[in-house]
Amino acid sequence: QVQLVESGGGLVQAGGSLRLSCAASGRTFTIVAMGWFRQAPGKEREFVADISWSGGNTYYVDSVKGRFTISRDNAKNTVYLQMNSLKPDDTAVYYCAARSSGPSGSGFNAPTFYDYWGQGTQVTVSS
């Protein structure tokens, strides 16, 4: 089993920055990739970014490309999401997820690819 705990959410003004963290524990040696999803009120959960655990390959949804950066610290079993130039449309609950199955690599944008999920952290961007 893998447990994921997100942190770093909060309220920021448009144009500001926020850094999310997700710490993994348990059987972390099984993780092949981690990703971030978000869910805004009244909308479906959507893929934001993911990163392969070994190679560090990354992939981003078009709406955050150039503004968000996903990274990982393998020694700390932690993945980060640096969010810059935040917009009100970025407001959502952000979820960390981990894959222990399937091939290594990035671009796994469907929630069904992921085996473990964090509880979510709220990000609110005011205008």
Side-chain angles (χ1 to χ4, degrees):
Q1 287 290 105
V2 174
Q3 296 80 44
L4 305 175
V5 179
E6 303 101 330
S7 62
L11 173 64
V12 297
Q13 292 185 323
S17 297
L18 210 58
R19 183 174 180 253
L20 306 183
S21 299
C22 176
S25 60
R27 302 181 70 196
T28 58
F29 60 88
T30 67
I31 296 174
V32 299
M34 296 184 70
W36 289 95
F37 290 75
R38 65 187 182 185
Q39 188 165 19
K43 303 191 72 175
E44 296 287 317
R45 185 171 299 189
E46 70 168 349
F47 171 85
V48 177
D50 67 344
I51 184 168
S52 60
W53 211 241
S54 58
N57 298 313
T58 60
Y59 188 84
Y60 302 88
V61 68
D62 286 345
S63 60
V64 309
K65 197 171 299 181
R67 299 188 297 120
F68 291 10
T69 302
I70 188 171
S71 61
R72 89 274 198 240
D73 186 332
N74 298 65
K76 295 181 178 180
N77 297 128
T78 300
V79 66
Y80 305 94
L81 186 67
Q82 178 66 47
M83 304 183 294
N84 299 326
S85 301
L86 283 162
K87 306 173 181 179
D89 285 348
D90 295 319
T91 295
V93 177
Y94 283 70
Y95 297 91
C96 176
R99 291 196 295 114
S100 294
S101 60
S104 179
S106 60
F108 288 75
N109 61 353
T112 52
F113 290 136
Y114 295 83
D115 303 292
Y116 306 101
W117 294 85
Q119 65 185 36
T121 185
Q122 176 71 47
V123 172
T124 302
V125 184
S126 64
S127 59

